[in-house]
């Protein structure tokens, strides 16, 4: 009996190139939080490079936990883990509230450790929420994941620095468009292996095209050290402050909610549906990875939704490919020069490739919604309102400006708010009440039966 595609081990070259493609897709997302937090603290260039390398290293370790697994830890799906962006705002708030900035990182690390350990204990209980995620809910959430990520790609396409005068200039947008076109041409006119690594080839070609524009900077490669290790507790022994711990615990709940949605989405894409046991194991990997990360000077880890788009587009479903990507992340953490090679790829090039990747996630969500059945009024209402709620932080970023900062951690995550809205609306419209028509109802605890729709006035 042949192995499921998720458990398939590919040839070494294919494993390496497709694994590197995953790293390229998520690199910017991993390095952004340490750069933002480090800048807020006022770290030197050397310490900022160290912190970034540490986050790459711990992302690789967390990815190993998630893909390869040990005991009851790890979803054993092609799932990339890295620093969650949801923690940036509360970590920056910790920096602001800390008088001695040299204590900021130890306070953050202490809070992440506690939040990670509490999340690890809560994982099996949190995973029971899977029964509240029928296809009409998962399809909505998958679509929201893709739609929420697209603005990231659009931001990359406009240039590396939002404060620069040439941000959004024709030069940057042209590079993004050329990269997008190259990826599309490779996907359309090539076959087999080349077609599967079209995104990676498109980014390499886009980087080369960017050289005459003066956008590609090879300086980081020349300045980077060959070897470097994220020495444990480099920035000091973790400190445990209640306010910081409570703040990061809220982030952990948000992160676990998004990871649950991501696992359900990925399970649909790779045709190995994520059940309660898989989600519990995946959440254990997320939370344990987060608890261990500060030991090596890293931040809270979570699933990376953008890599789901890569799986959906390439149809390479092997978890060992993503584990190979985790190996590259560890290597980058140990070899700053290797990390700098990915950093050479200009943001507009990443933006052009991101349009394809993130759009593929949204398309997968639409496919799931079609299977769920949008021929009933109830399901249409669930999808319509949930998408609207989830898109609020994207289209109106200041919508919740009057709410407390703690509440905004949740509300500013369109994936989390849209997910909660979809679950609640599904319960209200398809489970509660006595006036519902059995043929038009999807039970919240089960996948919908594909029944012929009966129209009603």
């Amino acid at each position: 009996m042949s192995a499921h595609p998720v458990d398939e081990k590919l040839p070494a070259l294919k494993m390496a190139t497709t694994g590197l493609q995953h790293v390229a897709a998520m690199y910017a997302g991993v390095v952004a939080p340490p750069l933002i937090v480090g800048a807020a603290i006022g770290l030197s260039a050397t310490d900022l490079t160290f912190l970034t390398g540490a986050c790459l290293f711990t992302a690789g370790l967390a990815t190993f936990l998630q893909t390869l697994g040990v005991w009851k830890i790890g979803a054993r799906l092609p799932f990339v883990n890295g620093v969650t962006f949801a923690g940036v705002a509360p970590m920056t708030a910790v920096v602001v509230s800390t008088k001695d900035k040299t204590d900021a990182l130890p306070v953050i690390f202490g809070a992440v450790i506690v939040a990670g350990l509490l999340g690890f204990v809560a994982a099996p209980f949190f995973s029971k929420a899977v029964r509240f995620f029928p296809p009409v809910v998962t399809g909505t959430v998958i679509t929201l994941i893709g739609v929420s990520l697209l603005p990231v790609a659009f931001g990359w396409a406009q240039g590396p620095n939002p404060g620069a005068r040439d941000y959004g200039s024709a030069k940057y947008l042209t590079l993004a468009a050329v990269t997008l076109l190259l990826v599309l041409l490779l996907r359309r006119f090539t076959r087999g292996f080349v077609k599967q690594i079209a995104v990676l080839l498109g980014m390499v070609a886009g980087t080369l095209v960017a050289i005459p524009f003066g956008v590609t900077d090879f300086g980081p490669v020349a300045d980077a050290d060959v070897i470097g290790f994220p020495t444990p507790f480099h920035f000091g022994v973790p400190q445990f402050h209640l306010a910081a711990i409570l703040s990061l615990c809220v982030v952990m709940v948000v992160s676990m909610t998004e990871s649950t949605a991501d696992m359900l989405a990925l399970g649909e894409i790779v045709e190995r549906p994520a059940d309660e046991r898989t989600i519990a194991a995946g959440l254990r990997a997320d939370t344990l990875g987060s608890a261990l990360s500060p030991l090596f000077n890293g931040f809270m880890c979570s699933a990376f939704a953008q890599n789901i788009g890569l799986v959906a587009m390439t149809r390479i479903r092997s978890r060992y490919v993503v584990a190979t990507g985790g190996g590259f992340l560890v290597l980058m953490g140990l070899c700053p020069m290797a990390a700098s090679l990915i950093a050479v790829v200009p943001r507009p090039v990443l933006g052009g490739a991101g349009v394809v990747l993130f759009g593929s996630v949204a398309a997968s969500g639409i496919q799931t919604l079609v299977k769920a059945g949008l021929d009933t009024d109830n399901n249409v209402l669930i999808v319509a309102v949930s998408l609207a709620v989830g898109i609020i932080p994207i289209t109106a970023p200041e919508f919740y400006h009057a709410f407390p900062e703690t509440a905004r951690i949740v509300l500013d995550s369109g994936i989390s708010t849209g997910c909660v809205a979809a679950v609640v609306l599904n319960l209200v419209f398809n489970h509660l009440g006595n006036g519902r028509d059995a043929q038009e109802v999807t039970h919240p605890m089960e996948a919908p039966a594909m029944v012929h729709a009966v129209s009603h006035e």
Side-chain angles (χ1 to χ4, degrees):
M1 183 177 179
S2 60
H4 189 283
V6 169
D7 299 316
E8 184 181 3
K9 295 182 179 179
L10 306 180
L13 177 61
K14 191 171 185 179
M15 196 94 79
T17 51
T18 50
L20 187 60
Q21 188 170 238
H22 274 283
V23 174
M26 55 89 77
Y27 177 85
V30 173
V31 302
L35 289 176
I36 294 170
V37 175
I41 295 172
L43 294 180
S44 65
T46 302
D47 278 342
L48 198 57
T49 301
F50 182 93
L51 183 63
T52 303
C55 287
L56 288 167
F57 179 78
T58 53
L61 297 181
T63 299
F64 282 151
L65 270 180
Q66 195 65 269
T67 54
L68 303 179
V70 57
W71 185 57
K72 296 181 179 180
I73 301 169
R76 293 169 173 81
L77 290 171
F79 222 30
V80 175
N81 272 43
V83 182
T84 174
F85 209 88
V88 170
M91 287 192 295
T92 304
V94 169
V95 173
V96 172
S97 63
T98 305
K99 292 183 179 179
D100 186 350
K101 300 308 178 189
T102 59
D103 289 334
L105 282 174
V107 170
I108 290 171
F109 292 152
V112 171
I113 290 172
V114 174
L117 292 175
L118 291 176
F120 185 85
V121 173
F125 305 101
F126 202 93
S127 67
K128 295 185 184 298
V130 67
R131 63 183 185 272
F132 297 108
F133 288 82
V136 69
V137 174
T138 57
T140 301
V141 174
I142 296 170
T143 304
L144 270 175
I145 291 172
V147 172
S148 297
L149 288 170
L150 280 171
V152 176
F154 301 151
W156 289 343
Q158 295 179 78
N161 184 7
R165 293 182 62 183
D166 63 350
Y167 185 71
S169 66
K171 173 178 65 176
Y172 291 137
L173 297 183
T174 299
L175 284 175
V178 167
T179 304
L180 173 59
L181 179 61
L182 288 170
V183 173
L184 293 176
L185 290 174
L186 286 167
R187 289 290 297 178
R188 174 64 182 85
F189 295 108
T190 61
R191 295 179 179 274
F193 180 53
V194 174
K195 183 175 182 178
Q196 290 174 328
I197 62 168
V199 173
L200 180 61
L201 294 176
M203 285 193 287
V204 171
T207 301
L208 295 175
V209 170
I211 293 175
F213 287 84
V215 176
T216 306
D217 180 14
F218 292 96
V221 179
D223 298 336
D225 295 329
V226 177
I227 299 175
F229 183 78
T231 312
F233 306 128
H234 174 81
F235 295 100
V237 178
Q239 300 178 23
F240 303 95
H241 293 190
L242 183 59
I245 290 171
L246 291 175
S247 180
L248 269 298
C249 280
V250 172
V251 175
M252 179 57 74
V253 172
V254 174
S255 175
M256 292 173 75
T257 302
E258 293 190 2
S259 287
T260 299
D262 289 343
M263 277 183 268
L264 290 166
L266 188 59
E268 289 286 333
I269 290 169
V270 302
E271 298 177 350
R272 179 183 276 182
D275 56 15
E276 186 177 314
R277 181 181 299 179
T278 300
I279 291 174
L283 292 177
R284 287 192 189 100
D286 268 9
T287 52
L288 181 61
S290 295
L292 295 176
S293 186
L295 303 182
F296 298 99
N297 313 284
F299 296 145
M300 186 179 293
C301 294
S302 180
F304 262 54
Q306 49 263 57
N307 292 81
I308 296 175
L310 195 55
V311 174
M313 192 190 73
T314 64
R315 303 304 297 165
I316 296 178
R317 295 175 278 181
S318 171
R319 60 192 173 101
Y320 295 104
V321 164
V322 174
T324 302
F328 281 118
L329 290 170
V330 171
L331 174 64
M332 289 176 180
L334 298 176
C335 178
M337 184 173 287
S340 66
L341 288 174
I342 296 292
V344 166
V345 180
R347 287 293 179 88
V349 172
L350 285 174
V355 171
V356 179
L357 294 178
F358 307 156
S360 296
V361 178
S364 296
I366 294 170
Q367 289 176 331
T368 303
L369 286 174
V370 171
K371 295 177 184 177
L374 291 181
D375 47 4
T376 66
D377 288 342
N378 286 355
N379 283 352
V380 169
L381 283 172
I382 293 167
V383 174
V385 176
S386 301
L387 286 178
V389 170
I391 290 173
I392 286 174
I394 304 171
T395 56
E398 298 301 317
F399 190 83
Y400 299 111
H401 74 277
F403 284 73
E405 190 66 32
T406 303
R408 290 193 64 179
I409 294 173
V410 179
L411 295 174
D412 284 344
S413 169
I415 298 171
S416 295
T417 54
C419 178
V420 170
V423 169
V424 172
L425 290 171
N426 181 63
L427 287 172
V428 171
F429 280 93
N430 286 340
H431 185 54
L432 303 177
N434 299 317
R436 64 191 190 276
D437 189 305
Q439 287 184 302
E440 290 191 310
V441 173
T442 300
H443 194 282
M445 311 306 177
E446 300 172 356
M450 298 304 291
V451 297
H452 182 70
V454 179
S455 59
H456 296 276
E457 293 295 324

